[in-house]
Amino acid sequence: MDLQFQEPGSSREQEQQAGEGADNFRARRLSLAKGNVPGGSSSDSISSPANPAARRQRRLSMSPEMGAKAVAAPFPPEVVGTYSCHGVEPGRSAGEMMAKINQDRGCVVTPFAGDETALLACVFDGHGPQGEQVSEYIVAEVPKLLEESLLERAKAAGLSSTALLSDEAVEAALSHAFVTADINLRESKVPSYKSGTTAVVALVRAGRIHTANAGDSRAVIGQASERGASGVRAVALTEDQKPDSADEMARLRAAGATVTAASKFGPGRVWSSPTGGCGLAMSRSIGDDIFTRIGVCATPVTSSCALLPSHKWLVLASDGVWEFLETERVVTLVELHEHASDSAMQLVQLAARAWAVEEGDDYRDDITAVVLQIPLLFPPRPPPSPPATPQATATPAANSKGRQTAGCDD
């Protein structure tokens, strides 16, 4: 979500008097707001694989702006679709609207880390005065650092391919990429004191899906319904990191932060000072240096699960999509189309219409979606042939819910 500032000095009493006015409502949507505590007083920006043995040509798709001049897509439209749509805000005169700078960034890249079958998908939602500079920097930095870390870990373990790395090793590499990107950002010329970005990443390789998330962008699977039923159901791969969730609130308060819960005055926020200042509507992000001393961090929440034959779609999107659309509605819409590019375009357009209904025609957040049609990217492997001779049947072991064997719906 774009980062802007509320007018300072808005007390809870003033907010109550303002009621449900449109401007007040819109201010509550911002990822970063300034005020009192409520109740208080490019296409080649990612490097090629470091492994020279990689034989397939690197394919990179950056999320293009809706309505911009079309460029040749490196992926077939039925396989990968990604679009971004800049937000709008009220103009200087009544009834006017003006385009906002799009602070979202998204990308899809394959092969990855020397693995010809691996694919990385990312969405970054910048916020703050220079949020677009932060997301532009991070969309290049995180994939580069992740690739380097995976290759280094495979080499250190004596493995011939990153495809052989364990879930724990891949998740450690994802965390390393996020945290190191945050450090590098702080040391760069990109201003990140009051600007930052969310980050959601999905790495699909060796029959596994690995995700890392910092902030409120999301990744979700569209999975075929069970027992022959038509349609798909949503399986969340990530959870939003909100300041007022129980675990995150406890972690932030232990670091000395002031945290307020979601209310009619706006979302839950972590505040830069006990009396107000800047309020961030997420507990983890890359950048936002003003909040690092009070517990806001770039360390992502990571997870791994099996890639199942029933998995049909993978969707990553900024909160411009999720603000008004539930995950079930998103995967249902995606399933209506044969091509991933059509699904992505229709999803962005539906989200834009939802913003118009809720906010009017003169305010909309940036919207970015990446849609992958999993069976076309990763065809299911045929089941092993039955043995030629009868085999002794062992007693089945108890079902395990371990991370190495769990599917996304376990």
Side-chain angles (χ1 to χ4, degrees):
M1 177 176 287
D2 63 306
L3 178 134
Q4 301 180 10
F5 295 97
Q6 288 178 213
E7 290 298 322
S10 173
S11 68
R12 180 171 181 173
E13 181 179 358
Q14 290 170 326
E15 287 179 313
Q16 288 174 326
Q17 292 173 352
E20 296 299 316
D23 291 340
N24 190 47
F25 180 77
R26 289 165 185 157
R28 298 202 303 272
R29 297 290 178 192
L30 303 180
S31 291
L32 186 67
K34 185 178 181 181
N36 295 333
V37 176
S41 59
S42 94
S43 65
D44 59 349
S45 60
I46 299 179
S47 60
S48 298
N51 185 349
R55 295 182 297 278
R56 285 178 59 203
Q57 182 178 0
R58 165 70 54 100
R59 291 185 291 170
L60 167 66
S61 179
M62 304 293 288
S63 302
E65 180 74 30
M66 294 275 286
K69 183 178 179 180
V71 296
F75 297 97
E78 65 271 17
V79 176
V80 174
T82 178
Y83 287 99
S84 188
C85 179
H86 66 79
V88 296
E89 59 189 4
R92 295 181 178 180
S93 301
E96 286 186 353
M97 71 173 183
M98 56 188 294
K100 295 164 59 274
I101 296 175
N102 194 337
Q103 297 185 311
D104 284 4
R105 297 295 184 271
C107 70
V108 180
V109 58
T110 187
F112 195 76
D115 182 352
E116 294 191 5
T117 65
L119 179 144
L120 180 73
C122 312
V123 167
F124 305 99
D125 181 355
H127 50 252
Q130 287 82 36
E132 73 280 0
Q133 296 182 45
V134 174
S135 58
E136 181 75 12
Y137 180 88
I138 295 301
V139 75
E141 194 72 1
V142 164
K144 181 188 73 173
L145 292 169
L146 177 59
E147 190 164 56
E148 291 173 353
S149 184
L150 290 170
L151 290 167
E152 289 171 0
R153 291 170 193 274
K155 182 178 179 181
L159 301 175
S160 59
S161 170
T162 57
L164 302 175
L165 287 168
S166 66
D167 286 355
E168 290 80 3
V170 174
E171 290 182 32
L174 285 163
S175 293
H176 171 82
F178 276 49
V179 172
T180 306
D182 184 60
I183 295 171
N184 293 350
L185 172 66
R186 194 173 303 120
E187 297 174 350
S188 75
K189 295 182 180 179
V190 177
S192 59
Y193 186 65
K194 292 184 180 180
S195 298
T197 184
T198 71
V200 62
V201 168
L203 175 64
V204 187
R205 34 74 75 185
R208 309 288 291 170
I209 303 175
H210 311 275
T211 59
N213 188 45
D216 58 5
S217 296
R218 297 180 195 170
V220 61
I221 285 283
Q223 184 171 15
S225 299
E226 297 177 350
R227 289 182 286 275
S230 61
V232 293
R233 64 185 184 92
V235 180
L237 296 179
T238 62
E239 293 183 1
D240 298 351
Q241 281 100 53
K242 297 292 189 180
D244 55 346
S245 67
D247 291 344
E248 292 294 88
M249 181 182 286
R251 183 179 64 80
L252 292 171
R253 286 182 171 171
T258 297
V259 180
T260 55
S263 70
K264 67 178 182 179
F265 302 112
R269 294 189 186 275
V270 52
W271 295 88
S272 59
S273 73
T275 57
C278 295
L280 186 65
M282 62 197 72
S283 57
R284 299 177 191 236
S285 66
I286 297 177
D288 297 314
D289 303 337
I290 190 174
F291 296 98
T292 57
R293 62 182 175 80
I294 51 174
V296 176
C297 63
T299 304
V301 175
T302 61
S303 65
S304 298
C305 65
L307 184 65
L308 302 177
S310 56
H311 291 162
K312 302 184 69 175
W313 302 94
L314 173 62
V315 180
L316 285 76
S318 64
D319 75 337
V321 168
W322 309 114
E323 185 73 40
F324 299 117
L325 300 181
E326 298 293 333
T327 54
E328 291 292 344
R329 188 177 182 188
V330 167
V331 298
T332 298
L333 179 141
V334 167
E335 174 69 2
L336 294 176
H337 303 278
E338 294 184 2
H339 287 191
S341 56
D342 292 338
S343 294
M345 181 178 295
Q346 292 298 317
L347 178 56
V348 171
Q349 291 175 345
L350 177 64
R353 289 196 296 272
W355 276 91
V357 169
E358 296 291 336
E359 296 281 336
D361 293 329
D362 61 351
Y363 187 81
R364 181 182 70 233
D365 194 10
D366 303 327
I367 303 168
T368 298
V370 173
V371 178
L372 309 177
Q373 190 162 185
I374 294 176
L376 298 183
L377 280 168
F378 307 97
R381 298 177 181 178
S385 301
T389 57
Q391 301 288 324
T393 301
T395 302
N399 183 40
S400 171
K401 293 289 184 179
R403 68 188 301 159
Q404 296 291 332
T405 59
C408 292
D409 58 342
D410 286 351

